[in-house]
Amino acid sequence: MIRAKDCVAMLLAGGEGRRLGILTRDMAKPAVPFGGKYRVIDFTLSNCTNSGILTVGVLTQYQPLVLNSHIGIGIPWDLDRKNGGVTVLPPFMRQKGGQWYSGTADAIYQNFYFIERYDPRYVLVISGDHIYKMDYSRMLKYHQDKQADVTIAVIQVPWDDASRFGIMNTCEEGRIVEFEEKPEKPRSNMASMGIYIFNREILSEHLETDQNNPASSNDFGKNVIPQMLQAGCRMYAFLFQGYWKDVGTLESFWEANMDLLLDNPELDLYDRNWPIYTVNPNQPPHYQCSSAQVNRALVNEGCMVFGRVEHSILFPGVQVGKDSVVRDSIIMSGTVIGSGVVLERAIVGENVIIGDGCFTKGRENEIVVVQENTVVPEGSAVESTLNGEVAGMKGEAR
Amino acid sequence: MKDVMGVIYVNNQEEGLQPLTRDRCVASVPFGGRYRLIDFILSSMVNSGIFNISVFTVRKYRSLMDHLETGKAWDLNRKHDGLFILPPQTHYHSAEFQGALQSFNQHLDYFHRSKQNYVVISGSNLVCNLDLSYVVSFHRQSDADITLLYKEVENGQEDFAGCARVITGKEEPAGIGQRVEDILSGTDPMPGEKAALCVYVMRKALLLELIQQCSEAGRFHLLDDGIISNLPSLKVCAYPVDGFISMISSIDLFYRRSMDLLQPINWGKLFFQPGLIYTKVKDEPPTRYTEDARVKNSLLANGCIVEGCVENSVLFRGVKINKGAHVKDSIIMQRCVVGENARVENAILDKEAAVSPNKIFRGEVQSPVVLEKRKTV
């Protein structure tokens, strides 16, 4: 017997994240490690738990192994529930064949039976590749107060950037009157965050219509939202204030990490009322030896630092050898950096071994990205790993 | 190891660890930056393949139960077996509790219901990282009735004050252990002597016999009454262990062993070999160093914010060191706050304690002062 839920969350986590290059070769974008101990999806999953939305469907498609094992049965987020909890929803076969999720709306459409099991009044659609903290229950309250059919979370972006986003034009009390996807001359700077609350019947109806339109690419932003607007649905914009970042490119991924190192970071990881949960790495406290010097950095359990770490993030179990300098870099779990190494503006994947005396030789402002499980031999230049080929070095996985 | 169950009794050495044991039992005294004393033997048992473990408590066990929860952190939340926390059935007045066998006697059902035929019994204040499967296989091969663990005391080592001395005879053919000729309790083992570690392996049937025999006599001390007085009729063997091992029984020892973890070799030995030590998960964010942070030779758990200077110290989870503060040769437990320009030296700050801005809290070298839980200087 399944008890009815007021609101079910559908978390889109199937994205490839092509622009993250080698980081997403073996894992989906929401599974990419972030912020010293998290994966990108932890932020939305924790938002669900902290908002009291305890029924979450996670839609996976691209390279789901890391994501699946990370989510498990949802224990770290307290989403291992008898009723509801987290459910991973991959594409599947039916008697009349099956198909991959062709777009965000199609993914929800194909899993509508999952939503109906809980008989909710509202469906929250979120995506697992944004870094932010948001109380969805406040947005739901707003949705109810406005007696809306659809509520879309928006954030004010700099006017210069507005033409990169889906822009909402609203009238005074927040009702959306127009939606423009990446407008050349934006008339508003309210960008859609890709967070939607729908009344379930309305969503069901419009997904059906969308499916019957052969010209549609089955995407919320491109197809379903404009279609709803045209049909005269009551659509409201919910203004979000706070930190929000799409980590879609290597530059924005690096920046979002570096944002955590500012003096008063906008994204507060230390708020005990809104913890970000993740799988516990279970390592001892980290060790700083007498010769270590660490400034403006995030360091995690199991690390051993003998050298210098400046303006960088070390994931659990990272070792930094003597006389090494790590600057403006992100070093993921289990990576061992030898002595006399100089790393600058680097993103180093998990379990990489960097031999003594290695150094980064990126061009100006280039971010050097080293693929996980590689070995960089002593004294060599550390260069970016591209398309699975290791530039200038050969390495065997440990 | 499927046939082995683990029994941890919360031994009664609260006095030496006052005031850390004012509101908690020895087993739940925080140690090593994020652990509690019980985590070490509990994790050793789990890493050795023991999945039926009971914890016999006596007093002040609220924090211990809160820490252990359902055993999830140790993978002991099982359908069958798993973790059993067994508090006393009667409330003991201080003089009434006489030993572990008294606790065991109150929970005979637990022993009868468990399917395992062997038990590993241990005290709860042993800081160690052990693979007990070697001990158990030695025990079986040497056909011993009881095998006890010992550590040869090194020069200047005071870790085993209060432990019994083990006098051993000839080597057992089965391995590196020896036959025990005598066990002497009452005087501290000297360097070169063998200290008994309160870890015993025996058949469950024998344990039940000992419980019954001792209960009838009204004597409940596991070693003195259960083992030593039966020494003539039992084959007791001794098995040596090595590594980072300590029986934390005094503040002084607590302080020094914590400081020893600042040597990477000890850090590696205690926390990684042969297995990892598990503890309750707190979901703490990474530790954050600001521009002004200066940290030397220290251990820091997650969730700390360091704006000041930390030297030769151990910081537990969620500690805040404010600007201009200087922490030296100290142990700062969970969620303590050291205010701006405050100075802490040779000190132990119990959980959630605070040192106000510009204040000085300082103990003598090798004789640390303790700031009690939730107190403010």
Side-chain angles (χ1 to χ4, degrees), chain B residues 16 24 36-38 47 59 98 117 144 174-175 186 195 199 225 235 248 253 269 273 344 346 375:
Chain B
R24 48 169 92 91
R36 290 179 188 259
L37 289 178
I38 196 170
N47 289 334
R59 275 189 288 268
Q98 294 163 51
N117 285 309
V199 182
D225 307 320
K235 179 178 180 183
I248 303 290
L253 198 57
K269 261 192 213 165
Q273 295 301 327
V344 176
N346 300 316
K375 291 270 163 67

Short mmCIF file of all heavy atoms in Angstrom, two decimals, chain B residues 16 24 36-38 47 59 98 117 144 174-175 186 195 199 225 235 248 253 269 273 344 346 375:
data_model
loop_
_atom_site.label_atom_id
_atom_site.label_comp_id
_atom_site.label_asym_id
_atom_site.label_seq_id
_atom_site.Cartn_x
_atom_site.Cartn_y
_atom_site.Cartn_z
N GLY B 16 40.47 7.75 36.17
CA GLY B 16 41.67 8.29 35.55
C GLY B 16 41.38 9.30 34.46
O GLY B 16 42.20 10.17 34.18
N ARG B 24 30.14 10.69 30.60
CA ARG B 24 30.18 9.60 29.63
C ARG B 24 31.02 8.46 30.16
O ARG B 24 31.84 8.65 31.06
CB ARG B 24 30.73 10.08 28.29
CG ARG B 24 32.01 10.89 28.34
CD ARG B 24 32.62 11.08 26.96
NE ARG B 24 32.23 12.28 26.26
CZ ARG B 24 32.89 13.45 26.31
NH1 ARG B 24 33.95 13.58 27.09
NH2 ARG B 24 32.50 14.48 25.61
N ARG B 36 35.67 7.71 18.85
CA ARG B 36 35.54 7.50 20.28
C ARG B 36 36.27 6.20 20.58
O ARG B 36 36.47 5.37 19.68
CB ARG B 36 34.07 7.41 20.68
CG ARG B 36 33.39 8.78 20.55
CD ARG B 36 31.94 8.69 20.91
NE ARG B 36 31.22 9.93 20.63
CZ ARG B 36 30.92 10.84 21.56
NH1 ARG B 36 31.28 10.65 22.81
NH2 ARG B 36 30.25 11.91 21.23
N LEU B 37 36.68 6.02 21.85
CA LEU B 37 37.57 4.90 22.16
C LEU B 37 37.02 3.56 21.67
O LEU B 37 37.77 2.72 21.18
CB LEU B 37 37.86 4.85 23.66
CG LEU B 37 38.77 5.97 24.19
CD1 LEU B 37 38.95 5.84 25.70
CD2 LEU B 37 40.13 5.96 23.50
N ILE B 38 35.72 3.36 21.76
CA ILE B 38 35.16 2.06 21.39
C ILE B 38 35.32 1.75 19.90
O ILE B 38 35.34 0.59 19.49
CB ILE B 38 33.68 1.94 21.81
CG1 ILE B 38 33.24 0.47 21.79
CG2 ILE B 38 32.78 2.80 20.92
CD1 ILE B 38 31.89 0.22 22.41
N ASN B 47 36.39 -5.55 10.91
CA ASN B 47 37.37 -5.79 9.84
C ASN B 47 37.92 -7.21 9.88
O ASN B 47 38.43 -7.71 8.88
CB ASN B 47 38.53 -4.79 9.95
CG ASN B 47 38.10 -3.39 9.55
OD1 ASN B 47 37.16 -3.22 8.78
ND2 ASN B 47 38.76 -2.39 10.09
N ARG B 59 27.23 2.18 33.13
CA ARG B 59 26.72 3.49 33.57
C ARG B 59 26.96 4.50 32.47
O ARG B 59 27.82 4.33 31.63
CB ARG B 59 27.51 3.94 34.80
CG ARG B 59 27.00 3.43 36.11
CD ARG B 59 27.73 4.13 37.24
NE ARG B 59 29.11 3.69 37.34
CZ ARG B 59 29.51 2.68 38.11
NH1 ARG B 59 28.63 2.04 38.84
NH2 ARG B 59 30.77 2.33 38.17
N GLN B 98 30.51 -5.40 40.14
CA GLN B 98 31.75 -6.06 40.48
C GLN B 98 32.52 -6.62 39.31
O GLN B 98 33.60 -7.15 39.46
CB GLN B 98 31.48 -7.20 41.48
CG GLN B 98 30.99 -6.71 42.82
CD GLN B 98 30.35 -7.84 43.60
OE1 GLN B 98 30.94 -8.90 43.75
NE2 GLN B 98 29.13 -7.63 44.05
N ASN B 117 30.03 -20.28 17.95
CA ASN B 117 30.60 -21.12 18.99
C ASN B 117 31.79 -20.51 19.70
O ASN B 117 32.23 -20.99 20.72
CB ASN B 117 31.01 -22.48 18.41
CG ASN B 117 29.78 -23.34 18.14
OD1 ASN B 117 28.94 -23.51 19.02
ND2 ASN B 117 29.66 -23.84 16.91
N ALA B 144 43.71 -24.36 22.44
CA ALA B 144 43.70 -23.72 23.76
C ALA B 144 42.27 -23.59 24.25
O ALA B 144 41.32 -23.59 23.47
CB ALA B 144 44.34 -22.35 23.67
N ALA B 174 51.68 -24.11 17.10
CA ALA B 174 50.73 -23.58 16.13
C ALA B 174 51.09 -22.20 15.59
O ALA B 174 50.53 -21.76 14.60
CB ALA B 174 49.34 -23.52 16.77
N GLY B 175 51.99 -21.50 16.22
CA GLY B 175 52.26 -20.16 15.72
C GLY B 175 53.12 -19.38 16.67
O GLY B 175 53.94 -19.94 17.39
N GLY B 186 47.59 -6.91 39.77
CA GLY B 186 47.83 -6.11 40.98
C GLY B 186 49.07 -5.25 40.89
O GLY B 186 49.11 -4.17 41.47
N ALA B 195 52.14 -7.48 29.02
CA ALA B 195 50.92 -6.93 29.62
C ALA B 195 49.70 -7.55 28.95
O ALA B 195 49.60 -7.58 27.73
CB ALA B 195 50.89 -5.42 29.45
N VAL B 199 41.84 -8.77 26.12
CA VAL B 199 41.18 -9.35 24.94
C VAL B 199 41.37 -10.87 25.01
O VAL B 199 42.50 -11.34 25.10
CB VAL B 199 41.78 -8.82 23.62
CG1 VAL B 199 41.05 -9.42 22.42
CG2 VAL B 199 41.71 -7.31 23.58
N ASP B 225 38.64 -13.69 38.60
CA ASP B 225 37.77 -14.77 39.07
C ASP B 225 37.49 -15.80 37.99
O ASP B 225 37.38 -16.99 38.25
CB ASP B 225 36.45 -14.19 39.58
CG ASP B 225 36.68 -13.10 40.61
OD1 ASP B 225 37.60 -13.29 41.44
OD2 ASP B 225 35.98 -12.08 40.56
N LYS B 235 43.86 -24.78 29.57
CA LYS B 235 45.03 -24.48 28.74
C LYS B 235 44.88 -23.04 28.26
O LYS B 235 44.02 -22.74 27.42
CB LYS B 235 45.12 -25.43 27.56
CG LYS B 235 46.32 -25.09 26.66
CD LYS B 235 46.49 -26.05 25.50
CE LYS B 235 47.70 -25.62 24.67
NZ LYS B 235 47.89 -26.44 23.47
N ILE B 248 43.87 3.39 27.13
CA ILE B 248 43.78 4.76 27.59
C ILE B 248 43.09 4.79 28.94
O ILE B 248 41.89 4.55 29.04
CB ILE B 248 43.00 5.62 26.58
CG1 ILE B 248 43.65 5.55 25.20
CG2 ILE B 248 42.90 7.06 27.07
CD1 ILE B 248 44.97 6.24 25.06
N LEU B 253 47.90 9.96 29.66
CA LEU B 253 48.12 9.02 28.58
C LEU B 253 47.26 9.40 27.36
O LEU B 253 47.71 9.34 26.22
CB LEU B 253 47.72 7.63 29.07
CG LEU B 253 48.23 6.43 28.28
CD1 LEU B 253 49.74 6.46 28.20
CD2 LEU B 253 47.76 5.15 28.96
N LYS B 269 49.69 3.74 10.85
CA LYS B 269 49.52 2.45 11.53
C LYS B 269 48.14 2.34 12.15
O LYS B 269 47.46 1.34 12.01
CB LYS B 269 50.54 2.34 12.67
CG LYS B 269 51.79 1.54 12.34
CD LYS B 269 52.51 1.29 13.66
CE LYS B 269 54.02 1.25 13.45
NZ LYS B 269 54.75 1.36 14.72
N GLN B 273 46.01 0.38 8.83
CA GLN B 273 46.47 -1.01 8.78
C GLN B 273 46.07 -1.78 10.02
O GLN B 273 46.35 -1.32 11.11
CB GLN B 273 48.00 -1.06 8.63
CG GLN B 273 48.53 -0.50 7.33
CD GLN B 273 47.99 -1.22 6.11
OE1 GLN B 273 47.74 -2.43 6.19
NE2 GLN B 273 47.78 -0.51 5.03
N VAL B 344 45.54 29.14 23.40
CA VAL B 344 45.30 27.86 24.07
C VAL B 344 46.58 27.05 23.97
O VAL B 344 47.12 26.86 22.88
CB VAL B 344 44.14 27.10 23.40
CG1 VAL B 344 43.95 25.74 24.04
CG2 VAL B 344 42.85 27.90 23.47
N ASN B 346 48.80 23.57 25.74
CA ASN B 346 48.80 22.39 26.62
C ASN B 346 47.42 22.15 27.24
O ASN B 346 47.29 22.00 28.45
CB ASN B 346 49.82 22.55 27.75
CG ASN B 346 51.22 22.73 27.20
OD1 ASN B 346 51.62 22.02 26.29
ND2 ASN B 346 51.94 23.68 27.73
N LYS B 375 31.76 24.33 28.60
CA LYS B 375 32.18 25.43 29.48
C LYS B 375 32.86 26.52 28.64
O LYS B 375 33.40 26.24 27.58
CB LYS B 375 33.15 24.92 30.55
CG LYS B 375 32.50 24.01 31.57
CD LYS B 375 31.95 24.79 32.75
CE LYS B 375 30.95 24.01 33.57
NZ LYS B 375 31.51 22.87 34.28
#
